[in-house]
Amino acid sequence: MVTVSDWVASQARLADHLGIERWAAAVGGSLGGMQVMQWTMTYPERVANAVVIAATPRLSAQNIAFNEVARQAIRSDPEFFDGWYAEHDTVPKRGLKLARMVGHITYLSEDAMGSKFGRDLRSDDLNFGFDVEFQVESYLRYQGDTFSTAFDANTYLLMTKALDYFDPSATQGAT
């Protein structure tokens, strides 16, 4: 497992190697935002400005639950091979697709999804089947398909666990 703190420590070592003593700004969204928070806590003297976008200092139980569903989608894909899919010359695309679809549901609030998609149909009539009928279904499937060919499954598992584990209040003695 790798934590946000581990990533920031490795980034600090790289900055040291490159001779960078202080960042003019640290900017990040989501997991990157968590890294910005960690930078400001661990190395406050090394960050002149911090911009955290769409990130939280710790995930809620519901966020962790959605991450677990996404991880299980990947791990239950028959092409996952317990993480050794490359040795089998395959990719767990179905699991990655489902994981990304679940993730996208968590990235947008209900209001944002409603204003972006509503209940808009892709055509004028309902098909009364299981193919894509609503715009939101089309969006989720497109995001899942694109992601499944561009992202590594094991990395996704590690990243979602790092998101789950991040809780600076626990390490700082606060609740």
Side-chain angles (χ1 to χ4, degrees):
M1 286 296 153
V2 180
T3 66
V4 171
S5 184
D6 294 332
W7 278 325
V8 169
S10 70
Q11 292 162 4
R13 289 182 65 191
L14 176 61
D16 291 342
H17 177 75
L18 297 173
I20 301 168
E21 295 178 18
R22 183 174 167 94
W23 298 108
V27 180
S30 188
L31 181 55
M34 290 177 172
Q35 291 175 65
V36 171
M37 286 184 239
Q38 189 67 52
W39 264 99
T40 63
M41 291 181 293
T42 307
Y43 308 103
E45 72 286 353
R46 296 187 72 173
V47 179
N49 297 285
V51 180
V52 176
I53 305 164
T56 180
R58 71 178 184 193
L59 295 185
S60 69
Q62 186 175 38
N63 295 136
I64 294 169
F66 276 121
N67 281 347
E68 176 59 9
V69 170
R71 285 189 295 269
Q72 289 306 311
I74 292 169
R75 297 190 67 210
S76 65
D77 187 314
E79 302 295 322
F80 183 63
F81 292 102
D82 202 29
W84 298 98
Y85 44 88
E87 283 78 357
H88 294 269
D89 197 31
T90 187
V91 174
K93 287 183 182 177
R94 285 175 283 185
L96 277 165
K97 176 180 179 174
L98 291 172
R100 186 58 166 184
M101 290 170 74
V102 167
H104 262 286
I105 293 169
T106 68
Y107 305 154
L108 297 172
S109 69
E110 183 176 356
D111 289 342
M113 287 186 97
S115 65
K116 185 170 185 170
F117 304 109
R119 291 183 47 85
D120 294 348
L121 295 170
R122 289 188 64 202
S123 68
D124 292 335
D125 298 314
L126 292 172
N127 295 322
F128 295 98
F130 295 106
D131 201 8
V132 173
E133 295 181 272
F134 293 91
Q135 291 293 348
V136 68
E137 293 172 318
S138 177
Y139 170 79
L140 289 174
R141 289 190 190 188
Y142 172 79
Q143 293 298 327
D145 286 335
T146 302
F147 186 78
S148 71
T149 61
F151 208 84
D152 177 69
N154 285 325
T155 301
Y156 193 86
L157 296 177
L158 289 171
M159 288 175 68
T160 57
K161 271 306 206 180
L163 287 163
D164 293 351
Y165 292 148
F166 187 70
D167 183 2
S169 65
T171 61
Q172 299 298 317
T175 57

